[in-house]
């Protein structure tokens, strides 16, 4: 990620109750506060102010439990800005591209969260005994864990700050390690299997990207064949167009098409490959 974004933040928490809590945060270099509200049992209302007085954004996150270590996360985003460039970018950006970016936001933290759960499950300890929160970055996370401590008696299983209730599965099967060690860890499920195949907009977006890739593959092959044939067939068969012009134009089209193929292959990978904070530091990758 961008190192400039990893700066100390100021937090304030208010209106804490069994129904949730409200808080706000801001960069220390900014005067604008961003608001966040957590509502039981899994709804987050997030309001952010754009720098330079360019308006504000609002997003609602709905987390629906599906079972042990499984949930469905739904998000709705709103914009309130007079900045024409922000409006233009928001309109022209495909919906599936915004959803892939939302996947990145989730994947940035899922390794840490699952490794904490695994550690607590195997050791039987509590988060407060094993993890040192940073007040300038972890304040709201700790507040949520403390909220689980207060309401955990009515939840089948949870991991709070000072208490926890184990899920009804054998957690010893999971390996304790940083960022979800091992290719089969639940945090390493591919973006395609976790999101794309379950979301029609993203599936359709992947279909468009794949079709575009193969269109340019065929175009490159046809252009290469045209350039080759222009050197083989007699000049009189080509007509008034010179062989050199046909060959040169065909090779240019072939080169541009190959560039487009590489671009769409890279874009296609975004539908499958997870964000990796340290892509070359996983022990299982070193062993491979």
């Amino acid at each position: 990620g961008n190192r400039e974004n990893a700066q100390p933040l100021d937090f304030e928490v208010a209106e804490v109750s069994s129904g949730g809590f409200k808080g706000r945060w801001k960069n220390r270099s900014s005067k604008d506060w961003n608001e966040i509200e957590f509502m039981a049992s899994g709804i987050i209302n997030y309001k952010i102010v754009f720098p330079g007085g360019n308006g504000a954004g609002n997003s609602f996150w709905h987390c629906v439990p599906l079972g042990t270590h499984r949930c469905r996360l739904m998000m709705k985003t709103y914009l309130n800005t007079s900045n024409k460039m922000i409006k233009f970018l928001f309109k022209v950006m495909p919906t599936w591209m915004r959803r892939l970016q939302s996947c990145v936001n989730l994947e940035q933290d899922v390794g840490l969260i699952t490794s904490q759960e695994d550690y607590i499950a195997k050791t039987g300890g509590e988060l407060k005994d094993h993890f040192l929160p940073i007040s300038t970055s972890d304040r709201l996370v700790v507040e949520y864990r403390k909220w689980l401590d207060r309401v955990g008696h009515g939840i089948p299983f949870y991991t709070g700050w000072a208490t926890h209730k184990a899920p009804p599965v054998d957690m010893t099967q999971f390996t304790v390690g940083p960022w979800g060690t091992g290719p089969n860890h639940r945090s390493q499920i591919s973006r395609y299997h976790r999101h794309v195949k379950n979301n029609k907009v993203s599936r359709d977006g992947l279909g468009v990207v794949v079709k575009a890739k193969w269109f340019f593959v065929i175009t490159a092959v046809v252009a290469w064949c045209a350039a080759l044939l222009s050197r083989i067939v007699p000049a009189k068969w080509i007509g008034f167009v010179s062989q050199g012009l046909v060959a040169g134009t065909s090779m240019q089209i072939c080169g541009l098409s190959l560039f487009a193929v590489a671009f769409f292959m890279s874009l296609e990978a975004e539908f499958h490959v997870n964000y990796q904070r340290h892509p070359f530091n996983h022990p299982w990758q070193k062993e491979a």
Side-chain angles (χ1 to χ4, degrees), residues 127-182:
L127 277 178
K128 69 179 182 64
D129 299 324
H130 299 284
F131 295 92
L132 178 64
I134 302 175
S135 61
T136 56
S137 63
D138 299 328
R139 176 72 185 279
L140 296 177
V141 175
V142 173
E143 195 62 41
Y144 170 70
R145 296 294 184 179
K146 290 181 177 179
W147 177 82
L148 287 174
D149 290 335
R150 288 190 291 270
V151 303
H153 57 85
I155 301 177
F157 50 90
Y158 69 96
T159 302
W161 182 244
T163 62
H164 76 279
K165 189 184 297 183
V169 293
D170 180 13
M171 287 293 293
T172 58
Q173 61 182 300
F174 298 115
T175 302
V176 172
W179 302 100
T181 302

Side-chain angles (χ1 to χ4, degrees), residues 49 56 101 114 122 155 163 174 179 197 225 233 272 275:
V49 178
Q101 181 58 46
T114 54
K122 286 191 68 97
I155 301 177
T163 62
F174 298 115
W179 302 100
K197 76 172 187 177
C225 291
V233 300
H272 295 272
Y275 167 89

Side-chain angles (χ1 to χ4, degrees), residues 21-117:
F21 60 87
K22 292 182 180 180
R24 62 178 188 168
W25 65 272
K26 71 177 184 68
N27 291 307
R28 291 187 170 179
S29 59
S30 173
K31 296 180 180 179
D32 298 321
W33 286 90
N34 303 298
E35 299 179 5
I36 186 169
E37 179 182 7
F38 170 73
M39 295 168 279
S41 59
I43 301 176
I44 295 177
N45 181 13
Y46 187 50
K47 301 177 183 178
I48 186 170
V49 178
F50 298 139
N54 288 316
N58 193 350
S59 61
F60 281 89
W61 300 70
H62 297 253
C63 182
V64 182
L66 300 177
T68 306
H69 304 304
R70 295 178 62 244
C71 68
R72 178 174 290 116
L73 187 63
M74 299 176 287
M75 184 185 70
K76 184 69 174 179
T77 304
Y78 305 89
L79 278 181
N80 182 14
T81 178
S82 58
N83 187 294
K84 294 182 179 179
M85 180 57 68
I86 295 178
K87 286 184 175 181
F88 174 76
L89 292 175
F90 193 80
K91 288 181 179 179
V92 299
M93 181 181 291
T95 303
W96 55 263
M97 188 173 291
R98 295 199 299 269
R99 295 189 177 181
L100 292 184
Q101 181 58 46
S102 298
C103 288
V104 173
N105 296 336
L106 173 65
E107 293 158 5
Q108 287 176 337
D109 296 321
V110 68
L112 174 62
I113 294 171
T114 54
S115 63
Q116 288 178 339
E117 291 177 346

Side-chain angles (χ1 to χ4, degrees), residues 225-241:
C225 291
L228 182 63
L229 289 174
S230 68
R231 293 298 186 181
I232 297 176
V233 300
K236 63 180 181 179
W237 290 11
I238 299 178
F240 63 89
V241 181

Side-chain angles (χ1 to χ4, degrees), residues 170-209:
D170 180 13
M171 287 293 293
T172 58
Q173 61 182 300
F174 298 115
T175 302
V176 172
W179 302 100
T181 302
N184 297 320
H185 192 273
R186 64 187 184 283
S187 67
Q188 302 299 327
I189 297 175
S190 72
R191 185 178 297 172
Y192 175 82
H193 289 92
R194 187 182 60 254
H195 167 71
V196 175
K197 76 172 187 177
N198 299 314
N199 185 274
K200 185 179 185 303
V201 173
S202 296
R203 287 200 312 272
D204 292 344
L206 176 59
V208 171
V209 170

